[in-house]
Amino acid sequence: MSGKKFLFNLMFLTVALSIIIDCNARGAAKKAMIVSQKQTEGAFCLVHSGNAAVIYTDPNDAEVVQIAAEALCKDIEMVTGILPAVRKNSDKLSAHAVIIGTLGQSGLIDRLADKGLIPAENIRGKWETFVVTVVERPFPDVERALVVAGSDRRGTAFGVFELSGMMGISPWVWWADVTPKHMDAAYIASGTIIEGPPSVRYRGIFLNDEDWGLQPWAAKNMDMDIRDIGPNTYAKIFELLLRMKGNYIWPAMHPCTKAFYYYPENPKTADRYAIVVGSTHCEPMLRNNVFEWSENFENEYGRKPGEWRYDTNRQQIYRYWEDRVKQSSSYESVYTVGMRGIHDSGMPGPRSRSEKIKLLEEVISQQRGLLSEYLKKPLNEIPQIFCPYKEVLTLYQEGLKLPDDVTIVWADDNHGYIRQLSNPTEQIRSGASGVYYHLSYWGSPHDYLWLSSMSPSLVSYEMTKAFRYGASRLWVFNVGDIKPAEMETEFALSLAWDVDSWVPENAYQYLRFWAAKTFGEEFAEPIAEIKGEYYRLAQEGKPEHMGAVTFDEKQADERLRDYQAIAAKAEALSKKIPERLQDAYFQLVLYPVRGACLMNEKILYARKSVRLAQQGNEGALEYTQKAQSAFEQIQSLTRKYNEDISGGKWLEMMSWRPRDLDVFKMPQVATAEMIKKAAENIAAGNEEQSKRIEISAADYTSKREVPPVSLQVIKGLGIGGKGLTIAPIDAESVPEEKIEEAVFVEYKTSLSAGDRAITVKCLPTHRIHEGRNLRYAISVNGETPRVVDVYSPADSRPWRNNVLRGYSEGRTNHRIDTSGESVVRIYILDPGLVINSIEVF
């Protein structure tokens, strides 16, 4: 299976201090190789008695191999204080040698393979696969060698950074200042790791909405000569990707940033780091239209551009695409085919959809002609993607003919719920499919650009579902400015590398796993608890969405207590975190948790102050002061991020008010004048509320499963922190005439006689593809089941409400004839439906 680890010659060490990197208790194979400070029999001496083993590469190997080897040297020095030497001359090897290279590109690696000293056949010819192994006496005068061999250039680089990870180097060692623990020596136990090929072929990130963080930060701190996101910034981003086994990027493309290809060193840097460059759904053929067509066309071509419309300006647009294909032909790229507007808008052209479809088919055909001509390969060997996003999805659904070898990249709804996936016919296409998924977003119904709050459980559920429906070719994640989406990005790419590593039912455990390897075992449990609550609370209203969601007084008070509890816990824990990790802890844990808490205090205390003022209650002014204080603390907390931590390294990176939206401003609060003018009758706000019984969907009293379909409770998924669904995700839907054959759960609750309404709250995801639904059926006390479909199409009014509040819902009315115990039975009729809670009114 993809991404699995095969282990040989395992030696377990009992040591006083060791760093063990494993895959957690999740059913995956564990990594055998241990880095320790204590020397044991058969261990490789990486750093011993103040000396480091020499690292050997081949001058004929890819440049990324040399880059990774140099990075490994710095990592070893960071951990031990000893800087190893890197040599490209292999005429004479040291007694303890680190040998790094690619099969077919490294003479030393090929000699080891020919001798049968490394398991070369386990990696040969495979995509991005590597082996790390200790070899006894591989050559004369070499007592022991630590070998990193890759099937290709990226496989070798991944193997090198795997070794760094074994020493305790976080992928975020530079990007979040995660300083590793010091070791006086470093010994690597005898053993072998083989990893690869990955589950998903292309795995990467989209740098987007960079206006308030990445771009101004890069301009001031990284690429000062061009005052933009340039090769210095991209080199750091590409190294980060390699450390997370990523291989793909959609470069930054907002108007504040010049096009990736505008700076010639950008694509050269990508090639040096072996990163595959692509472009977004609105940037066909690697062209950034916002800059290259709208702003720079005259500079490039000596004349102004005509209309961005292929049916009337074909020659000019064709030449524009042709030149980029020529320019990119020597680099590893994925080409987006098709056409949209200049930016994120519909394709200009004929009015009728049938004519638009015809034109788009012609566009794709001519784009593919360019690729075939200049890349000199069969089209099915040239990676191409088509993104049926927004209006393009409608054209695709209405009959657009797409070449079979083009990869369909499905999009989520911008809020983490995938709009649709491949149907049975699409699943057998040679181009397969992929996913474009948001961890950050600018747009309707509301942005979330400040903090990152997409839970691992949700990401795993949606992306695992996608993979099971054939989305194995390409995953790209919109990560905004990268910060503060560090953990979420790392999780997403680890899942893309091995989709079985964090299956939905175990994904919540990633919080502890990540905290342990980032901050140490001592802090793993409390950090996991803090982050788990942070994600649960955000599911019911992201910090950026607080101006658009409402809570009753009881809910608001509970929410504030829960946020204040984890903020206090995070603050208390910060005093125990080692000094070397203080800056990392602030960035990765404290800032997002405190920021989210303060945003909730600002909004909810402001609302409470107004409500009390309208009752003439002078206590309202206390909450006015609390809201104002929270508003000011958000700003001071962000100043600390930008100016104080890491010696000012992150100046301009963090904005507390992206796009200066109203939610970030000070809301209306109570004033003395407001209280004075309030009506004297304060009883109006004390209306009796109807009694509500709330039941967690996971707390059923009985169930019936119908093999092979079973019930599954997923911790961390949806409101309330648990989601109930069925597995496998590719199970057949149950037709309405066969409801009694479906899986069901029952809930026993005491109800008084009379009319009752029952609301079932669900994860606001989408049906898997056309022809499927998101249905449940409900009956009370044996009545005839009633079918409810909670699916709401993206961009509809119900959908807008659903994604902001974190749930969709179905509502049915029932007559209870006799007071006492009642039984509510719910049948789950479609895979993909996740139920979080049942409320009875």
Side-chain angles (χ1 to χ4, degrees):
M1 296 179 67
S2 57
K4 291 297 182 184
K5 291 84 176 172
F6 300 89
L7 311 178
F8 307 88
N9 307 322
L10 176 61
M11 290 184 63
F12 289 103
L13 301 179
T14 304
V15 295
L17 177 62
S18 65
I19 301 173
I20 303 174
I21 306 296
D22 67 27
C23 295
N24 206 354
R26 60 180 188 269
K30 290 188 176 181
K31 297 180 179 179
M33 302 184 76
I34 299 170
V35 180
S36 169
Q37 289 194 96
K38 184 175 180 181
Q39 185 176 12
T40 57
E41 184 178 353
F44 178 81
C45 301
L46 185 61
V47 175
H48 172 73
S49 298
N51 296 303
V54 178
I55 296 174
Y56 296 89
T57 62
D58 194 300
N60 295 316
D61 215 330
E63 191 169 358
V64 70
V65 174
Q66 187 68 26
I67 288 171
E70 295 286 352
L72 176 63
C73 286
K74 294 176 183 176
D75 291 346
I76 293 171
E77 182 184 30
M78 192 178 301
V79 172
T80 67
I82 308 297
L83 179 68
V86 179
R87 295 178 185 168
K88 294 182 180 179
N89 186 341
S90 60
D91 293 341
K92 181 174 177 56
L93 303 179
S94 59
H96 286 80
V98 180
I99 301 172
I100 297 171
T102 309
L103 282 175
Q105 301 295 320
S106 165
L108 288 174
I109 294 297
D110 287 348
R111 285 167 61 189
L112 290 168
D114 291 343
K115 289 182 174 185
L117 296 177
I118 60 173
E121 295 312 309
N122 292 75
I123 68 171
R124 192 184 304 278
K126 295 181 180 178
W127 180 263
E128 299 179 346
T129 302
F130 64 85
V131 56
V132 181
T133 187
V134 174
V135 180
E136 298 287 331
R137 300 199 174 278
F139 304 113
D141 300 324
V142 178
E143 179 182 337
R144 193 169 289 128
L146 175 62
V147 180
V148 180
S151 63
D152 52 30
R153 61 177 182 160
R154 277 191 296 274
T156 305
F158 293 158
V160 172
F161 286 119
E162 182 74 13
L163 188 56
S164 290
M166 291 165 57
M167 292 189 298
I169 299 290
S170 165
W172 303 98
V173 61
W174 191 87
W175 276 97
D177 308 298
V178 183
T179 304
K181 190 171 186 176
H182 176 77
M183 299 176 72
D184 292 328
Y187 304 97
I188 300 178
S190 177
T192 299
I193 297 171
I194 299 174
E195 286 202 42
S199 299
V200 179
R201 190 173 184 86
Y202 297 105
R203 311 165 305 281
I205 61 174
F206 174 25
L207 306 174
N208 196 211
D209 309 319
E210 66 273 15
D211 314 50
W212 300 275
L214 188 62
Q215 200 282 338
W217 170 80
K220 182 166 285 190
N221 301 284
M222 298 297 292
D223 291 282
M224 291 83 78
D225 54 336
I226 59 174
R227 298 196 61 78
D228 203 352
I229 300 174
N232 295 332
T233 306
Y234 276 114
K236 288 295 186 183
I237 293 170
F238 296 154
E239 180 182 314
L240 173 66
L241 279 171
L242 292 176
R243 288 183 183 274
M244 296 188 291
K245 299 188 179 71
N247 63 5
Y248 181 63
I249 193 164
W250 285 357
M253 47 73 73
H254 260 222
C256 65
T257 308
K258 290 183 174 63
F260 184 76
Y261 268 85
Y262 180 77
Y263 304 111
E265 285 302 311
N266 282 349
K268 292 178 184 177
T269 302
D271 188 56
R272 290 176 58 232
Y273 281 81
I275 296 300
V276 184
V277 176
S279 56
T280 70
H281 51 87
C282 54
E283 298 177 289
M285 308 301 280
L286 300 179
R287 278 291 196 177
N288 177 337
N289 301 320
V290 172
F291 176 75
E292 294 186 283
W293 185 270
S294 297
E295 292 187 31
N296 198 57
F297 189 94
E298 186 174 7
N299 179 58
E300 184 175 349
Y301 290 101
R303 62 184 182 276
K304 293 184 181 297
E307 187 179 7
W308 179 254
R309 180 168 170 164
Y310 202 71
D311 56 345
T312 60
N313 194 21
R314 182 182 311 251
Q315 184 176 355
Q316 198 175 56
I317 296 173
Y318 184 92
R319 166 78 185 282
Y320 171 74
W321 288 337
E322 181 181 35
D323 289 344
R324 180 51 44 80
V325 174
K326 290 179 186 177
Q327 187 180 9
S328 62
S329 61
S330 60
Y331 301 129
E332 201 172 354
S333 307
V334 173
Y335 293 89
T336 299
V337 298
M339 188 174 182
R340 297 190 69 216
I342 292 289
H343 194 185
D344 192 356
S345 58
M347 178 185 72
R351 290 188 176 183
S352 76
R353 284 184 178 170
S354 62
E355 289 299 312
K356 281 184 179 289
I357 290 171
K358 182 179 178 181
L359 179 61
L360 190 53
E361 288 175 346
E362 187 176 354
V363 164
I364 293 171
S365 176
Q366 295 194 7
Q367 288 171 335
R368 284 163 59 82
L370 287 171
L371 296 175
S372 179
E373 178 180 356
Y374 291 104
L375 273 62
K376 310 298 184 186
K377 294 179 182 178
L379 281 168
N380 62 3
E381 295 179 12
I382 301 172
Q384 305 153 67
I385 63 172
F386 174 78
C387 301
Y389 187 62
K390 296 187 177 179
E391 82 292 335
V392 181
L393 175 59
T394 302
L395 299 181
Y396 176 73
Q397 290 171 336
E398 294 189 4
L400 175 75
K401 293 181 177 63
L402 189 68
D404 193 69
D405 55 84
V406 174
T407 300
I408 300 173
V409 176
W410 303 109
D412 73 337
D413 62 1
N414 307 316
H415 291 264
Y417 309 103
I418 299 174
R419 293 169 185 253
Q420 74 173 71
L421 293 165
S422 297
N423 61 33
T425 300
E426 291 162 337
Q427 288 173 41
I428 62 175
R429 298 177 69 259
S430 62
S433 65
V435 176
Y436 165 41
Y437 192 90
H438 289 77
L439 300 176
S440 175
Y441 176 62
W442 170 354
S444 176
H446 203 288
D447 306 357
Y448 52 100
L449 298 174
W450 177 37
L451 303 178
S452 181
S453 55
M454 205 69 76
S455 77
S457 294
L458 176 58
V459 174
S460 175
Y461 184 76
E462 291 294 301
M463 299 307 292
T464 301
K465 176 173 64 176
F467 186 84
R468 302 304 176 209
Y469 281 82
S472 61
R473 189 61 54 86
L474 181 148
W475 289 5
V476 60
F477 297 90
N478 186 326
V479 299
D481 297 307
I482 299 176
K483 302 175 73 65
E486 294 97 338
M487 194 202 77
E488 295 82 359
T489 302
E490 186 177 354
F491 175 78
L493 291 179
S494 68
L495 191 68
W497 175 259
D498 180 1
V499 76
D500 294 323
S501 62
W502 297 104
V503 294
E505 58 268 32
N506 293 335
Y508 74 95
Q509 296 177 356
Y510 182 81
L511 302 177
R512 193 188 190 287
F513 168 78
W514 173 85
K517 77 188 188 82
T518 306
F519 295 102
E521 184 64 33
E522 176 185 358
F523 305 106
E525 199 64 41
I527 290 175
E529 291 173 358
I530 290 166
K531 295 289 279 186
E533 273 290 275
Y534 169 80
Y535 288 123
R536 180 187 69 80
L537 290 163
Q539 176 67 33
E540 298 169 9
K542 292 181 181 296
E544 299 91 337
H545 297 168
M546 283 301 296
V549 293
T550 58
F551 303 91
D552 64 31
E553 189 171 0
K554 179 182 177 183
Q555 291 170 329
D557 289 344
E558 289 177 352
R559 187 173 178 83
L560 285 168
R561 281 196 298 270
D562 290 345
Y563 259 124
Q564 289 162 352
I566 60 170
K569 190 172 184 178
E571 285 279 13
L573 191 61
S574 71
K575 295 176 174 58
K576 301 177 183 179
I577 297 291
E579 182 61 31
R580 65 184 170 87
L581 292 170
Q582 280 290 324
D583 290 337
Y585 183 79
F586 183 86
Q587 295 167 66
L588 299 173
V589 179
L590 192 58
Y591 181 83
V593 169
R594 279 204 64 206
C597 178
L598 290 168
M599 176 64 89
N600 276 262
E601 288 183 344
K602 182 188 77 172
I603 299 291
L604 297 179
Y605 281 145
R607 289 177 184 170
K608 188 167 188 173
S609 76
V610 172
R611 184 171 63 250
L612 291 175
Q614 290 171 344
Q615 298 171 2
N617 189 330
E618 293 185 0
L621 296 180
E622 174 189 350
Y623 295 100
T624 292
Q625 293 171 354
K626 287 184 175 183
Q628 184 66 44
S629 174
F631 178 58
E632 293 168 358
Q633 287 181 70
I634 290 172
Q635 296 169 65
S636 63
L637 192 70
T638 306
R639 279 195 297 273
K640 180 177 180 178
Y641 196 122
N642 286 315
E643 299 173 12
D644 296 345
I645 66 166
S646 307
K649 174 180 176 180
W650 301 113
L651 184 63
E652 303 286 350
M653 177 59 85
M654 185 57 60
S655 171
W656 58 271
R657 52 178 186 180
R659 290 219 295 145
D660 202 24
L661 298 180
D662 287 344
V663 70
F664 298 116
K665 299 173 183 177
M666 186 62 199
Q668 181 190 23
V669 291
T671 63
E673 186 66 22
M674 187 185 298
I675 296 170
K676 184 178 180 181
K677 291 182 178 180
E680 294 183 2
N681 184 6
I682 63 173
N686 295 328
E687 296 175 1
E688 183 179 352
Q689 297 183 358
S690 60
K691 185 177 180 183
R692 179 180 63 185
I693 299 172
E694 186 170 358
I695 306 167
S696 170
D699 294 338
Y700 51 81
T701 50
S702 61
K703 65 178 181 179
R704 184 187 71 187
E705 297 178 322
V706 183
V709 182
S710 62
L711 288 162
Q712 189 176 60
V713 174
I714 301 177
K715 189 173 179 180
L717 184 62
I719 62 169
K722 289 181 181 179
L724 176 70
T725 188
I726 58 173
I729 192 62
D730 56 357
E732 294 294 325
S733 294
V734 177
E736 292 188 19
E737 63 270 18
K738 294 185 178 181
I739 285 175
E740 294 298 342
E741 299 176 14
V743 168
F744 68 72
V745 288
E746 291 183 335
Y747 304 88
K748 293 181 180 178
T749 185
S750 180
L751 299 176
S752 57
D755 293 325
R756 294 287 178 266
I758 299 180
T759 297
V760 177
K761 294 184 176 180
C762 306
L763 192 73
T765 190
H766 299 268
R767 62 187 185 185
I768 290 171
H769 56 67
E770 284 191 279
R772 295 273 197 165
N773 299 288
L774 286 175
R775 300 166 302 145
Y776 68 88
I778 185 170
S779 71
V780 179
N781 297 332
E783 66 184 355
T784 301
R786 279 174 267 177
V787 176
V788 180
D789 190 347
V790 296
Y791 169 61
S792 295
D795 303 315
S796 65
R797 181 174 292 179
W799 167 84
R800 289 183 175 89
N801 293 331
N802 293 345
V803 295
L804 293 177
R805 68 188 182 182
Y807 65 89
S808 58
E809 66 179 12
R811 189 179 180 95
T812 50
N813 295 312
H814 304 265
R815 178 71 182 175
I816 308 300
D817 294 326
T818 306
S819 297
E821 185 178 81
S822 287
V823 177
V824 179
R825 176 181 290 185
I826 296 178
Y827 302 82
I828 300 178
L829 306 182
D830 292 296
L833 177 73
V834 179
I835 302 175
N836 293 111
S837 70
I838 297 95
E839 295 182 357
V840 184
F841 298 89

